Amino acid sequence: MNPEILIHLIIWPTFIGFIINGLFGSMLSKTASGIIACAGPLIGFLATLYLYLTNPLLEAINYSYYNWFSIGLANPVNFSIYIDHLTILMLFIVTGVGTLIHVYSIGYMHEDKGFSRFFAYLNLFLFSMLLLITGSNLILLFAGWEGVGLCSFLLIGFWFKNPEYNKAARKAFVMNRIGDLGFILGIFLLAIKFNSVDIVKIQGSFANLSMNDPSIILITILLFIGVCGKSAQIPLFTWLPDAMAGPTPVSALIHAATMVTAGIYLVARMNILFSLAPFTLNVILFVGVATAIIAATIALKQNDIKKVLAYSTVSQLGYMASALGVAAYSTAIFHVMTHAFFKALLFLSAGSVIHGLHGEQDIKNMGGLKKKMFWTHLVFLIGTLAITGCPPFAGFFSKDEILSSVYSWNFWAFVGLSFASICTAWYMFRLYFSTFHGEFRGDKHVWNHVHESSWIMLFPLVVLAILSILGGFAGMPEILSERHFLHDFLKYNVVDHTHHVNHFFEYCLWSVTVLALAIIVWLTYNRYAKSSKEKFELEPTGFSKLFANKYYLDEIFANIFTNPLKRLGSWFKNTFDSKVIDILVQLPGNTLDKASIELKPIQSGNISWYIISILVGLIFFAILFLVKL
Amino acid sequence: MIDKVFYFLSIATVISATLVVVSKHPIKSVLFLVLTFFLISAHYVLLNAQFLAMVNIVVYAGAIMVLFLFVIMFLNLNKEIEQHKSLIPWFIAIISGGCFLLITMSALSKTELISSVEHSSSLGLVENLGNVLYKEYLLPMELSAVLFLIAMAGVVLLSRKEKIVDTK
Amino acid sequence: METASPEIFSSIPLTHYILLSTTLFVIGLIGVMVRKNIIIVFMCIEIMLNAANLMLTATSVYYNNPGGQIMVFFTMTVAAAEVAVGLAIIVMAFKNLNTTNIDLFNKLKG
């Protein structure tokens, strides 16, 4: 089959699904709506599969739909699709996990009135993500970037009747926008410097640039600011925990698997540019490590299932950023892949728990759920083992690779990331034991109605669990295998800095990891598996208080940025608007009013006055006429 | 000789008109106006416009001024003597009037006299005027008769006593 | 009837007549502007009309065109009609307002 037809099949079915569900959703039955929506990513996945299988030694496909605009640049900006190995990998992840989440959502959102609207938004989101991944120039990528930001806003505020959710949606959008400012400035500078925004052309014209060129450093810093906004690095990450206001499939799709990885994808895509600016790479490493540590410590003391998972996402994104910071781009993409699997799994199983408990999200009201929700419990355990890096699950391989790459670059960064790993293990197992073990701490009435989820929700969970188990084998380290599948897959598109890892160090790392995991499991089991409700309601003190209150970051941001802006806005509204603008606007009216009052006496009724004025006017005009003005 | 007559007549006319404007007593103004009309008729005679001279005296001095006198006596205005309180209106009027005079004179004095016009001595006689009037200007003449009719009807209408309508 | 041709052309140029007419006109104009008694104002209007008539006649004689004198004829007609109607209005106004001071005729004041 023609590659062009396959490209059409990858991208457009989701858009068509959006149109149909958006315009006609209220007329369709729920089943029809769901099937149309799931068909989009499924067709995309199958088309990608077919494309890969018929074309394994893929040379890059560059297919242009039409010439979008060509102002001033040497290369016109086209609406064109570029597919190489990196793109194919991301397409697999996005469409695959996307399909599973769509199937899950049919079950999760079944009683919701906005069923078809939800699927319309989900399809639009997937379409924007596909544009982002396959765009061949930065403008199209940015269009997809903005599209996913928009859909994130729409989906977080999906239950829009609640003003708190709307606030969260707005917060996500605005913080995203702040990052976008940096991104756009970066694009502009790139356009000026390389006279093109086409990714391939930019990557190809690096030959005459030196390392640490100031303009390249500036451009990469600006692009990284965009990444901070989208991929929730410090300081632009506070929107992600608030974004848990949306339905759980949204959290799974957007904030675990796809949107937040868009930033990581951007850096990996522009890898040559970033490799030319080691200063920026150090910045990225520093920010990534800091993000990982801070988010992991906050998650230690959160009581909402989804918030713990949200901070876990931020922490894992910090890991990916650290990998980028040591120029191990394919490692970061590897972690993107495994993270998509296990984080989506965790979110969807948390959604299953919430669904089974009819909306309860606080872990102090849970406990002992493994008796009633066996399959959910099993997949959640698999996800927990994957994220904490237990061999031979997926997370072990990717995390191990990141840790060893970072170790060979910077020792203290390695220490920070290890500390974050320990925190990750602690809070994940705390979550697992509190939710599924021990006695149920909630209402008796709720306990009677707890039920396992339907097969339509369990099926994607099982598939994701299998992927979490097997996904790590795509990237085996040197010790165990000759070939690293992922590195080989990506090596033509992504140029890594080769990290030579000491084998002895690898073995040490593995053993320490397994040992630490065992200790942490034992400790958390004793502490949380049998704890009572009062333990969760204790007021935290000291460091715990700092963690539980999210380092007061929300309050700090509010006081520095939001409140002054609000005060400025209200000042404008009350003072400026009423005193200055109203006066200006009413000025013609008031002037006319006063002028008419002044001019009224002219019509005095006094005849001689009239005649005198006629005569004076006549003389005036006669003089004008005679002097020939 | 004739120019002396002309100058005498013009000075007399100007003085007479000024006295009309300046007099405080209305009856005096009326009388001086009648004198002005007579002097202007004398000017007409000087110009050999005999018909117009007669018509001027008959219509203006004979009918119009009689009407004025009648109204003054009717309204008993001969008892009121107008007081000139302030002179400011006089100043404004004289200055603006003087400006107007200057402007008009400067505009009109540029007119060129066509010296090749043949002067007929019988222009202004009744027969010639009558000929022109009834041949070329017949329609305006008939219309002026209609105008008189309308004026008469208007005057009668205006002077009707208004009936007092009971406002119930 | 035979008459001597007027010798007026030889000695008095037209501009003298123009000056005379304009002076009379301006005098009438001043009277209209200044006087307070409405009857006197009306009379000054008559002076203005007569000044115009004089100039019309003078130019008609100097240019040998009877049209000027015909125009005077009509002007006088209209002046007579106007005086009649005007005086009727003044009498009725006097009946209502009991005064002839035109400063007090200001019911149309803005």
Side-chain angles (χ1 to χ4, degrees):
Chain A
M1 213 192 278
N2 214 350
E4 271 99 48
I5 302 187
L6 287 173
I7 293 180
H8 297 320
L9 278 178
I10 292 176
I11 299 177
W12 295 108
T14 45
F15 188 67
I16 297 173
F18 158 66
I19 299 277
I20 295 180
N21 266 329
L23 290 176
F24 308 117
S26 46
M27 299 187 244
L28 295 169
S29 73
K30 286 200 172 162
T31 330
S33 195
I35 291 181
I36 291 176
C38 292
L42 186 61
I43 294 177
F45 181 76
L46 294 173
T48 319
L49 193 60
Y50 192 83
L51 184 67
Y52 176 62
L53 289 177
T54 56
N55 223 339
L57 289 172
L58 194 75
E59 73 271 6
I61 303 176
N62 199 333
Y63 174 71
S64 171
Y65 277 99
Y66 75 102
N67 185 330
W68 191 356
F69 60 89
S70 55
I71 42 160
L73 297 171
N75 300 310
V77 175
N78 294 328
F79 190 101
S80 63
I81 307 292
Y82 176 75
I83 300 194
D84 62 1
H85 282 225
L86 177 60
T87 321
I88 294 249
L89 181 64
M90 292 297 294
L91 277 174
F92 274 131
I93 299 174
V94 169
T95 49
V97 177
T99 315
L100 291 169
I101 295 182
H102 274 71
V103 172
Y104 178 89
S105 309
I106 299 182
Y108 190 82
M109 301 293 289
H110 204 264
E111 282 100 43
D112 198 294
K113 281 200 216 58
F115 190 80
S116 48
R117 180 166 61 101
F118 186 74
F119 277 107
Y121 289 160
L122 269 190
N123 269 4
L124 182 64
F125 169 82
L126 264 182
F127 174 67
S128 313
M129 192 71 199
L130 289 172
L131 270 189
L132 198 158
I133 299 174
T134 54
S136 85
N137 54 56
L138 283 172
I139 303 288
L140 197 58
L141 197 150
F142 187 67
W145 186 278
E146 289 295 317
V148 296
L150 168 71
C151 293
S152 166
F153 167 78
L154 289 171
L155 285 164
I156 294 173
F158 182 69
W159 291 312
F160 52 80
K161 301 230 167 80
N162 187 334
E164 288 297 317
Y165 296 168
N166 290 338
K167 257 175 63 171
R170 266 207 309 275
K171 184 174 179 179
F173 194 77
V174 170
M175 282 193 137
N176 219 323
R177 216 66 185 105
I178 299 176
D180 287 348
L181 178 65
F183 192 7
I184 283 199
L185 288 175
I187 295 183
F188 289 162
L189 286 178
L190 270 178
I192 293 175
K193 191 164 176 67
F194 292 99
N195 213 18
S196 161
V197 288
D198 196 85
I199 296 184
V200 176
K201 293 247 167 30
I202 291 178
Q203 302 267 67
S205 44
F206 68 92
N208 49 352
L209 293 167
S210 56
M211 298 279 270
N212 268 335
D213 192 31
S215 59
I216 298 287
I217 292 186
L218 183 61
I219 292 174
T220 46
I221 296 269
L222 286 171
L223 289 178
F224 182 61
I225 292 179
V227 169
C228 280
K230 185 69 82 178
S231 296
Q233 305 296 309
I234 288 179
L236 295 172
F237 72 93
T238 51
W239 62 270
L240 208 149
D242 284 353
M244 297 297 120
T248 314
V250 167
S251 310
L253 183 61
I254 296 186
H255 307 128
T258 39
M259 181 173 106
V260 292
T261 57
I264 313 291
Y265 167 75
L266 174 70
V267 177
R269 179 55 96 194
M270 310 292 290
N271 56 80
I272 298 187
L273 209 60
F274 279 89
S275 297
L276 283 172
F279 175 74
T280 314
L281 288 180
N282 279 333
V283 170
I284 298 180
L285 176 65
F286 176 69
V287 169
V289 171
T291 310
I293 297 178
I294 290 182
T297 49
I298 296 180
L300 288 174
K301 282 287 163 198
Q302 295 300 315
N303 281 341
D304 186 336
I305 292 189
K306 286 175 71 172
K307 285 251 162 53
V308 174
L309 293 176
Y311 282 109
S312 164
T313 306
V314 178
S315 181
Q316 295 299 311
L317 283 170
Y319 271 89
M320 294 179 220
S322 321
L324 291 174
V326 295
Y329 304 107
S330 50
T331 312
I333 299 290
F334 184 27
H335 199 66
V336 165
M337 187 175 88
T338 56
H339 176 260
F341 298 150
F342 55 68
K343 194 44 74 57
L345 173 65
L346 283 169
F347 264 113
L348 291 185
S349 40
S352 174
V353 167
I354 295 172
H355 195 75
L357 288 175
H358 295 284
E360 179 62 62
Q361 286 183 284
D362 199 331
I363 56 176
K364 63 180 195 256
N365 292 331
M366 300 183 194
L369 286 174
K370 78 173 176 191
K371 299 185 193 98
K372 283 212 173 181
M373 299 175 89
F374 174 70
W375 284 102
T376 310
H377 153 255
L378 186 62
V379 295
F380 196 92
L381 179 62
I382 294 177
T384 312
L385 287 172
I387 191 174
T388 52
C390 177
F393 291 90
F396 169 68
F397 291 107
S398 57
K399 216 185 245 204
D400 171 70
E401 216 174 299
I402 296 181
L403 283 174
S404 18
S405 313
V406 171
Y407 174 76
S408 56
W409 185 282
N410 185 333
F411 177 69
W412 287 108
F414 168 73
V415 169
L417 283 182
S418 313
F419 175 67
S421 299
I422 296 177
C423 295
T424 308
W426 184 277
Y427 66 69
M428 282 313 299
F429 276 106
R430 164 181 181 260
L431 188 63
Y432 168 70
F433 285 126
S434 323
T435 313
F436 291 103
H437 286 248
E439 287 301 317
F440 186 70
R441 290 182 290 272
D443 209 20
K444 200 101 169 69
H445 179 71
V446 177
W447 178 248
N448 292 336
H449 287 273
V450 168
H451 61 279
E452 180 64 272
S453 308
S454 54
W455 68 268
I456 201 169
M457 283 167 70
L458 281 183
F459 168 70
L461 290 178
V462 170
V463 172
L464 282 172
I466 297 176
L467 282 174
S468 301
I469 299 175
L470 299 176
F473 298 113
M476 310 270 280
E478 280 175 6
I479 308 180
L480 293 180
S481 146
E482 282 290 312
R483 284 188 61 190
H484 190 286
F485 290 114
L486 210 73
H487 282 173
D488 290 339
F489 192 69
L490 292 177
K491 72 170 177 247
Y492 293 113
N493 306 117
V494 171
V495 177
D496 287 341
H497 182 273
T498 46
H499 300 276
H500 295 289
V501 181
N502 198 344
H503 283 203
F504 173 66
F505 169 76
E506 282 271 342
Y507 284 122
C508 282
L509 187 60
W510 288 3
S511 20
V512 168
T513 307
V514 175
L515 192 62
L517 259 182
I519 296 177
I520 289 175
V521 168
W522 185 70
L523 282 174
T524 46
Y525 181 75
N526 282 337
R527 211 175 135 106
Y528 293 110
K530 303 186 181 79
S531 55
S532 55
K533 192 166 179 179
E534 288 74 34
K535 202 144 189 266
F536 283 100
E537 285 173 353
L538 278 177
E539 272 298 309
T541 53
F543 268 117
S544 311
K545 189 164 184 205
L546 189 65
F547 298 153
N549 283 324
K550 306 166 266 167
Y551 288 82
Y552 299 105
L553 266 178
D554 276 333
E555 287 82 8
I556 295 176
F557 282 159
N559 279 331
I560 296 181
F561 297 113
T562 326
N563 286 343
L565 277 177
K566 276 195 192 159
R567 272 207 296 274
L568 188 68
S570 61
W571 177 80
F572 266 111
K573 174 182 157 211
N574 294 331
T575 318
F576 191 70
D577 192 34
S578 54
K579 297 239 173 61
V580 177
I581 294 189
D582 276 354
I583 289 185
L584 269 180
V585 165
Q586 287 166 6
L587 193 65
N590 285 343
T591 315
L592 272 177
D593 224 2
K594 288 195 193 113
S596 79
I597 294 176
E598 295 300 313
L599 288 175
K600 223 170 53 157
I602 288 182
Q603 199 168 17
S604 57
N606 194 341
I607 297 180
S608 36
W609 167 243
Y610 288 165
I611 295 176
I612 292 179
S613 39
I614 291 176
L615 186 65
V616 168
L618 184 68
I619 291 173
F620 177 65
F621 278 110
I623 291 179
L624 276 182
F625 186 71
L626 283 176
V627 176
K628 290 207 175 56
L629 276 173
Chain B
M1 167 68 185
I2 262 194
D3 45 344
K4 292 195 183 59
V5 173
F6 172 77
Y7 289 137
F8 170 71
L9 276 179
S10 24
I11 290 175
T13 320
V14 170
I15 292 177
S16 175
T18 314
L19 285 171
V20 170
V21 168
V22 161
S23 299
K24 293 199 178 102
H25 205 284
I27 301 289
K28 278 197 201 160
S29 288
V30 169
L31 292 173
F32 278 121
L33 189 59
V34 172
L35 177 63
T36 313
F37 286 151
F38 270 103
L39 288 168
I40 290 187
S41 296
H43 269 288
Y44 287 154
V45 169
L46 208 54
L47 284 171
N48 203 20
Q50 302 157 5
F51 175 64
L52 276 182
M54 289 298 116
V55 169
N56 202 12
I57 293 178
V58 165
V59 168
Y60 264 110
I64 292 179
M65 294 326 295
V66 167
L67 261 181
F68 268 108
L69 215 47
F70 187 71
V71 168
I72 289 178
M73 295 301 181
F74 182 59
L75 300 180
N76 259 334
L77 289 180
N78 53 347
K79 300 258 170 48
E80 297 165 21
I81 298 184
E82 189 176 321
Q83 310 290 333
H84 296 300
K85 289 199 192 70
S86 76
L87 285 180
I88 293 179
W90 283 99
F91 281 132
I92 299 175
I94 289 178
I95 289 173
S96 39
C99 286
F100 184 71
L101 176 68
L102 278 174
I103 288 172
T104 317
M105 276 315 297
S106 67
L108 290 176
S109 62
K110 300 261 187 348
T111 57
E112 286 170 14
L113 197 56
I114 305 171
S115 51
S116 60
V117 170
E118 191 188 285
H119 294 117
S120 138
S121 61
S122 58
L123 188 77
L125 296 182
V126 182
E127 300 94 57
N128 296 332
L129 276 184
N131 254 333
V132 176
L133 185 64
Y134 279 91
K135 279 194 190 145
E136 285 158 33
Y137 297 97
L138 181 62
L139 181 63
M141 205 201 61
E142 300 298 334
L143 283 180
S144 61
V146 176
L147 179 71
F148 275 132
L149 179 65
I150 295 172
M152 206 161 59
V155 167
V156 169
L157 182 66
L158 276 172
S159 324
R160 254 195 333 178
K161 264 206 173 83
E162 283 183 8
K163 296 195 184 116
I164 298 179
V165 181
D166 216 354
T167 57
K168 265 217 182 141
Chain C
M1 193 187 339
E2 216 190 276
T3 50
S5 94
E7 301 153 357
I8 197 109
F9 310 117
S10 52
S11 42
I12 299 177
L14 184 58
T15 37
H16 285 58
Y17 270 105
I18 292 178
L19 182 61
L20 173 63
S21 300
T22 318
T23 314
L24 283 176
F25 186 84
V26 167
I27 290 174
L29 192 61
I30 290 174
V32 167
M33 286 197 275
V34 171
R35 295 299 299 248
K36 295 281 181 286
N37 193 337
I38 195 161
I39 310 277
I40 310 286
V41 168
F42 222 7
M43 292 198 307
C44 296
I45 293 178
E46 292 305 314
I47 300 182
M48 285 157 74
L49 273 168
N50 265 79
N53 284 350
L54 178 62
M55 182 139 140
L56 270 169
T57 320
T59 41
S60 104
V61 167
Y62 272 72
Y63 285 111
N64 199 31
N65 188 348
Q69 298 189 16
I70 304 293
M71 180 103 174
V72 171
F73 183 76
F74 285 121
T75 317
M76 273 191 223
T77 310
V78 172
E82 164 225 336
V83 164
V85 176
L87 284 175
I89 293 178
I90 290 177
V91 165
M92 294 317 291
F94 183 81
K95 282 218 158 111
N96 278 330
L97 294 171
N98 254 331
T99 175
T100 53
N101 189 353
I102 59 170
D103 285 340
L104 303 175
F105 278 44
N106 57 2
K107 293 253 164 124
L108 280 180
K109 160 162 107 157

